[in-house]
Amino acid sequence: MKADALRGHLDPMILAVVEHEPLHGYAIMEALLERSGGALDLPTGTLYPALRRLERAGYLASEWSTVGGRKRRTYQLTSAGQKMLATGKSEWDAFRAVVEGVLRPRGASS
Amino acid sequence: MKADALRGHLDPMILAVVEHEPLHGYAIMEALLERSGGALDLPTGTLYPALRRLERAGYLASEWSTVGGRKRRTYQLTSAGQKMLATGKSEWDAFRAVVEGVLRPRGASS
DNA sequence: TACTACATGTAGACGGGCTACATGTAGCTG
DNA sequence: CAGCTACATGTAGCCCGTCTACATGTAGTA
């Protein structure tokens, strides 16, 4: 998958994986990898800055903990994040409809 | 629609509208606007550079003409462009599956 | 000891879509 | 005629999210 295809679509995906359970960064990476069937293998240089951005924006809240001698920063969805996730989903639906309307207009074959 | 959502998805959309008939830039803008139901209103600073990029890459070929005293640069799909369009479509399908697998995993309600 | 998995993070490059500007023709209306 | 809108193409430079590459450290295992 091309790099910039992701642009603008990553945020709602991150919010989605922490919707029902708070996760730390590494676990978020794994969750994305699993939910995408192995396609979404984010480099740390993408994920961690994104998480900080989302926290700064108020969509995520984080908390440090130590598990098995390793420090974890666990993120959970805020109420603003919940709204943002809902918005992101409907924006995705709209975007998808636009792309498909252009790529495969009614009556097109291939 | 957010600006960078488009990133990486515009190229196949442009190729798609010139698939069956060559069009000039302005007409491509109108075709995108129409196929998207009014959602895809590209600024000229997006479309024209994109067309040149696609031509430089060998996916489009252009030709000048004059219609009603106005100069037009008409673009048509090359055979490489046709392949690229097919690739772009299947990449879109893959991308879409990834996003939806993350946003709405099996068993999710909202 | 060395390697892998776990875990977090930054600096700087890259590039495509954006705003804003520049240029010109054709046709309509007051 | 003057002024406006639609038609038509184009560039310069900004913006910013994702990327590569690097840095740091713990735990477990071969």
Side-chain angles (χ1 to χ4, degrees):
Chain A
M1 184 170 32
K2 291 205 184 65
D4 28 59
L6 217 50
R7 197 100 172 212
H9 304 289
L10 183 58
D11 290 9
M13 285 195 273
I14 291 174
L15 298 180
V17 297
V18 294
E19 186 179 10
H20 296 114
E21 43 170 1
L23 293 172
H24 61 284
Y26 196 86
I28 292 173
M29 269 196 288
E30 288 180 324
L32 289 169
L33 195 65
E34 201 218 325
R35 288 203 196 184
S36 66
L40 210 59
D41 196 3
L42 294 182
T44 66
T46 294
L47 182 66
Y48 289 109
L51 290 172
R52 298 181 142 267
R53 190 164 35 79
L54 289 168
E55 183 172 22
R56 225 169 34 241
Y59 303 134
L60 292 177
S62 73
E63 204 172 88
W64 283 98
S65 62
T66 303
V67 176
R70 287 176 182 116
K71 283 189 178 176
R72 288 178 173 176
R73 188 176 208 165
T74 301
Y75 291 89
Q76 63 177 323
L77 208 58
T78 64
S79 58
Q82 220 140 28
K83 279 177 204 162
M84 192 57 205
L85 174 55
T87 303
K89 280 180 184 177
S90 59
E91 278 179 355
W92 162 256
D93 289 337
F95 177 73
R96 172 191 160 185
V98 164
V99 174
E100 286 176 4
V102 173
L103 243 39
R104 299 189 174 96
R106 285 178 320 207
S109 45
S110 82
Chain B
M1 184 168 35
K2 290 206 187 65
D4 29 59
L6 218 50
R7 198 92 176 221
H9 303 289
L10 183 58
D11 290 8
M13 286 194 273
I14 290 174
L15 298 180
V17 296
V18 294
E19 186 179 10
H20 296 115
E21 43 169 1
L23 292 173
H24 61 284
Y26 196 87
I28 291 172
M29 269 197 286
E30 288 180 324
L32 288 170
L33 196 63
E34 200 218 326
R35 287 203 196 185
S36 67
L40 211 57
D41 195 3
L42 294 183
T44 67
T46 293
L47 182 66
Y48 290 109
L51 289 172
R52 300 181 140 265
R53 190 163 36 79
L54 289 168
E55 184 172 22
R56 226 170 31 243
Y59 303 134
L60 292 177
S62 73
E63 204 173 87
W64 283 98
S65 61
T66 304
V67 177
R70 286 173 182 121
K71 283 188 179 177
R72 289 178 173 176
R73 187 176 209 164
T74 301
Y75 291 89
Q76 63 177 321
L77 209 58
T78 64
S79 59
Q82 220 141 27
K83 280 178 203 161
M84 192 57 207
L85 175 56
T87 303
K89 280 180 184 177
S90 61
E91 278 179 356
W92 162 255
D93 289 337
F95 177 72
R96 171 190 158 185
V98 164
V99 174
E100 285 176 5
V102 173
L103 243 39
R104 299 190 173 94
R106 285 177 320 206
S109 44
S110 82

